């Protein structure tokens, strides 16, 4: 049986991270949806809908689902009447996708799309897996047309001490056990650790502004268990 080769003694950076993340998602792809729904009690479905509402795309837009995985955002985008295209680094995840939208294998840091070629983009639960956030935000700015909108959804650690205690217990103790039982131990041991890759709120807002986005709004969802960034391409 193939297992994820994500190191447990350190959080990889640079090319080591890119390779480990890709191999990990290739490994867990067949059971990704099952584990996701069990772990999040299906709350991830509602969060994607919220992301799309907050992104406020114009009708019938061409929207990229970046780090599309198994294509959940593509499905929601098409239900809303948009044209969706999914991009992901992992062939395994794309091969397990359940969407009819076109899917492209590619790296978010070097997107295979021309300048200003799309009306907007969404990205679900992938920011912490990227090697470099400013480079991703620069790519987003390159491919989205002026006036286009973006919505970036990821997990976060709540501010409230009570919620944080529950969160730490669930993500550090329960999630790795669910993941190990249903899928792959190393992959779901990495998941809670990967949160520390994410810069804090002010830093992410500043990075998006520096990349050329305006109206940058950071919203805490579910009491701070998830975070959403929306912005307009200048
Ligand atoms: C946690 S999954 C999220 C999948 C999907 N967006 C969702 O909402 O369920 C993270 C995804 O990011 C992809 N990914 C990680 N690094 C990437 C990169 N540099 N370029 C493109 N995709 C990447 C992984 O292959 C994986 O499918």
């Amino acid at each position: 049986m193939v297992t994820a080769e994500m190191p447990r003694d350190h959080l990889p950076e640079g090319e080591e991270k890119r390779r480990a993340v890709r191999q990990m998602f290739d490994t867990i792809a067949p059971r990704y949806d099952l584990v996701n729904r069990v772990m999040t009690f299906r709350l991830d479905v509602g969060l994607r809908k919220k992301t799309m509402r907050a992104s406020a795309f114009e009708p019938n837009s061409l929207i990229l689902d970046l780090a599309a995985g198994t294509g959940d955002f593509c499905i929601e985008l098409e239900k809303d009447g948009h044209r969706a295209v999914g991009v992901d680094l992992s062939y395994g995840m794309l091969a397990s996708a359940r969407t009819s939208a076109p899917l492209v294998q590619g790296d978010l840091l070097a997107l295979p799309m021309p300048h200003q070629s799309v009306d907007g983009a969404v990205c679900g639960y992938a920011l912490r897996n990227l090697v470099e956030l400013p480079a991703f935000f620069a790519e987003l700015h390159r491919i989205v047309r002026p006036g286009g909108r973006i919505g970036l959804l990821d997990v976060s650690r709540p501010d409230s001490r009570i919620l944080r205690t529950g969160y730490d217990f669930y993500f550090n103790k329960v999630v790795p056990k669910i993941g190990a039982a249903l899928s792959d131990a190393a992959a779901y041991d990495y998941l809670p650790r990967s949160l520390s890759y994410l810069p804090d709120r002010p830093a992410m807002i500043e990075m998006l502004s520096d990349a050329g986005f305006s109206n940058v709004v950071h919203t805490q969802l579910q009491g701070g268990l998830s975070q959403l960034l929306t912005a307009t391409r200048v």
Side-chain angles (χ1 to χ4, degrees):
M1 198 178 82
V2 181
T3 57
E5 289 161 18
M6 184 57 72
R8 287 180 186 241
D9 58 344
H10 66 283
L11 280 168
E13 299 285 351
E15 188 48 34
E16 184 193 12
K17 178 177 179 184
R18 187 180 180 277
R19 227 177 314 112
V21 163
R22 182 175 180 174
Q23 191 271 347
M24 178 183 80
F25 281 105
D26 279 343
T27 304
I28 64 173
R31 309 207 89 189
Y32 174 83
D33 285 333
L34 169 71
V35 180
N36 218 16
R37 299 293 187 263
V38 170
M39 252 169 32
T40 67
F41 310 104
R42 291 191 67 83
L43 290 174
D44 59 315
V45 178
L47 289 170
R48 286 193 193 84
K49 288 188 203 293
K50 264 194 185 146
T51 300
M52 287 179 37
R53 272 200 301 278
S55 301
F57 299 121
E58 287 171 17
N60 193 30
S61 288
L62 174 60
I63 309 292
L64 290 183
D65 175 2
L66 298 173
T70 54
D72 280 327
F73 258 131
C74 287
I75 293 170
E76 294 300 329
L77 286 162
E78 290 193 328
K79 269 194 211 158
D80 268 15
H82 299 300
R83 292 161 290 140
V85 176
V87 183
D88 201 282
L89 187 63
S90 158
Y91 277 114
M93 292 294 275
L94 294 174
S96 300
R98 296 158 286 99
T99 170
S100 56
L103 299 172
V104 181
Q105 193 274 340
D107 191 329
L108 265 49
L109 303 194
L111 287 165
M113 277 88 195
H115 288 46
Q116 302 185 10
S117 55
V118 297
D119 299 311
V122 288
C123 178
Y125 306 106
L127 297 180
R128 69 211 128 91
N129 290 311
L130 302 178
V131 166
E132 216 201 312
L133 274 184
F136 171 50
F137 295 160
E139 266 302 81
L140 265 179
H141 185 266
R142 185 183 68 77
I143 51 126
V144 174
R145 66 158 169 83
R149 296 273 299 157
I150 58 163
L152 315 173
L153 175 68
D154 214 318
V155 291
S156 86
R157 195 161 173 256
D159 292 336
S160 137
R161 211 151 50 97
I162 297 175
L163 278 179
R164 217 165 42 217
T165 307
Y167 170 93
D168 286 344
F169 176 75
Y170 186 68
F171 274 93
N172 295 326
K173 305 279 183 227
V174 180
V175 161
K177 288 206 167 56
I178 297 175
L182 296 178
S183 179
D184 183 280
Y188 289 91
D189 169 78
Y190 162 82
L191 195 152
R193 292 191 296 131
S194 67
L195 197 73
S196 62
Y197 281 117
L198 281 181
D200 62 19
R201 260 170 266 168
M204 283 206 280
I205 292 171
E206 193 179 334
M207 278 180 202
L208 272 174
S209 304
D210 289 350
F213 288 90
S214 64
N215 306 321
V216 182
V217 176
H218 183 285
T219 315
Q220 300 269 66
L221 303 171
Q222 300 173 310
L225 292 172
S226 293
Q227 55 182 323
L228 170 62
L229 278 155
T230 53
T232 306
R233 199 271 199 206
V234 177

